[in-house]
Amino acid sequence: MSGDHQTLALLLFSAFVAVTLGITTWVSRRRQGSAEEFYAGGRLFSPMENGFAIAGDYMSAASFLGISGLIALFGYDGLLYSVGFLVAWLVVLLLVAELVRNVGRFTLADVVAARMRERPVRIAAGTSSVTVSVLYLVAQMVGAGSLVALLLGGTSGAVRAWTVIGVGALMVIYVVLGGMRATTWIQIVKAVLLLAGAIALTVLVLVRFHGNVNDLLNTAAEQSGHGRDFLAPGLRYGGDWTARTDFISLGLALVLGTAGLPHILSRFYTVPTALAARRSVIWSIGLIGGFYLMTIVLGFGAAALVGTDAVRASNAAGNTAVPLLALDLGGGAGSTGGTVLFAVVAAIAFATILAVVAGITLASSAAVAHDLYASLKRAHTKRRGEVAVARLAAAGIGAVAIALSLLAQNLNVAFLVGLAFAVAASANLPVLLYSLFWRSFTTRGAVWSVYGGLIPAVLLVVVSPVVSGSPESILPGVDFAFFPLQNPGVVSIPLGFLAGWFGTVTSTEPPDGTRHAETEVRSLTGAGAV
């Protein structure tokens, strides 16, 4: 990229970072010592504000960079990611949002512990939440590395490594200083910027084809090198039974995983009532739905205008399709319009990554401090002490995520997020649904449900082609892959539900009917909710 691209984009990066650090500094002057302020922003956000923040949290680098890139590379099969991500919100709206807000306080474990023995349940749920969060963080940081490497005109390991380290440092600063309040406002600003950028690019793509969507799709098919197969199912997931099963596994993970994501669940605690939580979800569905419709246009637009081969040449996983599309729409390399549009889109994508990693880091540090630390300490932890632990945990989780991100630079960010969704659907969703709706559920069932989904999901990823056995693997030089699927959801999600059922029916501890009744009334009416 030319020096103009680099200079302008870096200036825009710097402007966004300066604004968000200003927000964080302003918020840090407020009292952040209480757990309610640090974890939930004082529960003072309106449904619209929280809806924008949820959308900002959910519309990640996987959405903006990864899905558009997959559509540019694989056409119809890449579009399936958009469908799965959006349909998942029906599960959240109908089964989770209001009930979780009424029963819990800060984390997923609060919901389960309301009717179980706290210590084993909090340790299990906290461990699962941290695992899911780290996988999600890796995806965002890989996107950051790809984006800045493209911006600076190279793909060297040093450029990507320093980018990942810089993103990690910023996310720790946001969380440590600003807590949930700063994180929420950063996500709101980012959501507005991202939607504005997506709308502008979508309009420019449609103008280029005179509003003729059919012409757009036909041109994309021609430029892809696959012809009409580009617009039909099967280019990525239709080759054999393994590919088709992998698609089913991915679909299950995307549709069921959202309701188990810790950073999404934590957003329901930032509003004052369950009704506000439900309205937040309705706001977010409208914003997210519109955005995913635009990613379809952007993906096919990149295939039509940039070309599938050019996208793959820039980044094998397709993560740079949207910035390259912006460059073309603005007039091409060397033009003023191309320079400006490329820089704006790159800055928005980078802002997307920073906002999302801040939300995920906050949720995972809350799980460490509020669930793991408080349980293991077995003492009445002071709120201020717990918040201090959460801040330390944010730094530790950031370091782990940075280290893992440096190993996964060649994987598509949407694909990496799909793995995080699979773990969330396997470990978190079963225990959440059982706790809310099954009267006979016991503590053993809760613990077995979490570990019965978490351990198989992680192990199956380790022994899959994701980690070894192919040139695109994390460890391409070795081969210990014997599980053929890239996404473990089709196996690990049923195992999570089965483990919860089996642990409950074999438990010698009778279910606590009184606590279940209290939890049921609280979840449905809000009586006694915090």
Side-chain angles (χ1 to χ4, degrees):
M1 294 298 160
S2 69
D4 290 339
H5 290 84
Q6 295 178 21
T7 302
L8 182 57
L10 288 173
L11 285 174
L12 291 172
F13 284 170
S14 302
F16 179 80
V17 171
V19 169
T20 52
L21 286 176
I23 292 172
T24 304
T25 303
W26 171 67
V27 170
S28 67
R29 295 176 180 175
R30 299 174 60 93
R31 183 172 174 267
Q32 292 285 330
S34 71
E36 185 171 289
E37 179 68 31
F38 186 79
Y39 295 143
R43 309 190 201 280
L44 298 175
F45 291 100
S46 70
M48 185 182 73
E49 290 169 344
N50 198 43
F52 269 87
I54 291 173
D57 223 346
Y58 196 70
M59 296 184 302
S60 63
S63 302
F64 194 49
L65 302 178
I67 293 177
S68 300
L70 286 174
I71 294 173
L73 297 182
F74 301 106
Y76 180 92
D77 281 11
L79 180 151
L80 296 172
Y81 273 88
S82 293
V83 177
F85 279 131
L86 181 57
V87 170
W89 280 96
L90 295 178
V91 178
V92 178
L93 178 64
L94 298 176
L95 295 179
V96 173
E98 291 182 79
L99 304 182
V100 165
R101 174 61 188 87
N102 283 335
V103 176
R105 295 187 64 208
F106 305 124
T107 65
L108 164 70
D110 289 337
V111 179
V112 185
R115 51 176 292 207
M116 309 292 177
R117 286 187 288 114
E118 285 204 33
R119 193 182 188 208
V121 164
R122 286 193 180 278
I123 292 173
T127 300
S128 173
S129 295
V130 172
T131 303
V132 172
S133 298
V134 168
L135 283 172
Y136 215 114
L137 283 172
V138 169
Q140 307 308 312
M141 292 185 176
V142 167
S146 300
L147 184 69
V148 176
L150 174 68
L151 172 69
L152 298 180
T155 56
S156 68
V159 170
R160 294 190 176 197
W162 281 110
T163 300
V164 167
I165 292 170
V167 170
L170 282 171
M171 76 183 184
V172 171
I173 292 171
Y174 292 147
V175 173
V176 169
L177 295 182
M180 178 59 84
R181 193 180 295 272
T183 300
T184 299
W185 282 111
I186 291 169
Q187 287 161 345
I188 291 171
V189 172
K190 166 255 171 158
V192 172
L193 290 174
L194 182 59
L195 287 168
I199 290 170
L201 289 180
T202 301
V203 170
L204 288 174
V205 170
L206 294 176
V207 167
R208 182 72 67 91
F209 290 93
H210 307 289
N212 190 332
V213 176
N214 189 55
D215 191 19
L216 165 64
L217 296 178
N218 288 333
T219 305
E222 293 171 6
Q223 296 298 320
S224 70
H226 298 289
R228 301 299 297 179
D229 291 341
F230 192 69
L231 305 179
L235 194 60
R236 179 180 174 97
Y237 295 111
D240 52 23
W241 71 268
T242 302
R244 294 174 185 176
T245 307
D246 218 350
F247 165 67
I248 295 172
S249 186
L250 171 67
L252 283 173
L254 295 182
V255 171
L256 299 178
T258 299
L261 292 175
H263 65 289
I264 296 298
L265 294 175
S266 66
R267 293 237 54 93
F268 301 141
Y269 301 124
T270 64
V271 290
T273 64
L275 179 59
R278 185 178 186 85
R279 288 176 176 170
S280 297
V281 175
I282 294 172
W283 269 99
S284 64
I285 287 176
L287 296 170
I288 293 167
F291 175 76
Y292 280 127
L293 287 175
M294 290 186 285
T295 62
I296 296 172
V297 176
L298 298 182
F300 283 113
L305 298 176
V306 179
T308 298
D309 291 340
V311 171
R312 186 176 284 109
S314 172
N315 182 272
N319 295 330
T320 56
V322 172
L324 291 176
L325 173 64
L327 185 63
D328 185 275
L329 290 171
S335 67
T336 302
T339 299
V340 171
L341 199 56
F342 175 90
V344 169
V345 169
I348 290 174
F350 197 68
T352 293
I353 292 166
L354 287 180
V356 172
V357 297
I360 302 168
T361 304
L362 179 59
S364 54
S365 63
V368 171
H370 186 63
D371 299 328
L372 297 177
Y373 172 74
S375 299
L376 294 173
K377 191 174 178 62
R378 295 184 68 90
H380 296 291
T381 308
K382 292 182 179 179
R383 293 287 173 81
R384 187 174 296 275
E386 184 179 300
V387 171
V389 172
R391 291 186 168 115
L392 290 174
I397 289 166
V400 172
I402 289 170
L404 293 176
S405 301
L406 297 178
L407 296 174
Q409 291 292 336
N410 294 323
L411 297 179
N412 181 276
V413 289
F415 169 74
L416 287 170
V417 166
L419 295 182
F421 273 63
V423 177
S426 304
N428 292 348
L429 185 64
V431 71
L432 181 61
L433 295 183
Y434 279 149
S435 298
L436 291 172
F437 298 109
W438 190 15
R439 181 180 299 275
S440 301
F441 199 42
T442 64
T443 299
R444 175 192 278 187
V447 174
W448 284 25
S449 181
V450 174
Y451 292 129
L454 176 64
I455 294 173
V458 174
L459 289 180
L460 289 176
V461 170
V462 171
V463 297
S464 75
V466 174
V467 175
S468 69
S470 74
E472 295 80 23
S473 300
I474 295 175
L475 303 174
V478 295
D479 186 1
F480 49 84
F482 63 84
F483 181 68
L485 305 181
Q486 294 188 326
N487 193 293
V490 72
V491 175
S492 58
I493 295 172
L495 284 178
F497 281 98
L498 182 62
W501 170 82
F502 189 70
T504 296
V505 299
T506 59
S507 176
T508 57
E509 174 190 6
D512 191 330
T514 302
R515 293 182 70 182
H516 168 74
E518 293 174 354
T519 302
E520 186 175 39
V521 171
R522 180 174 167 182
S523 67
L524 295 175
T525 67
V530 177

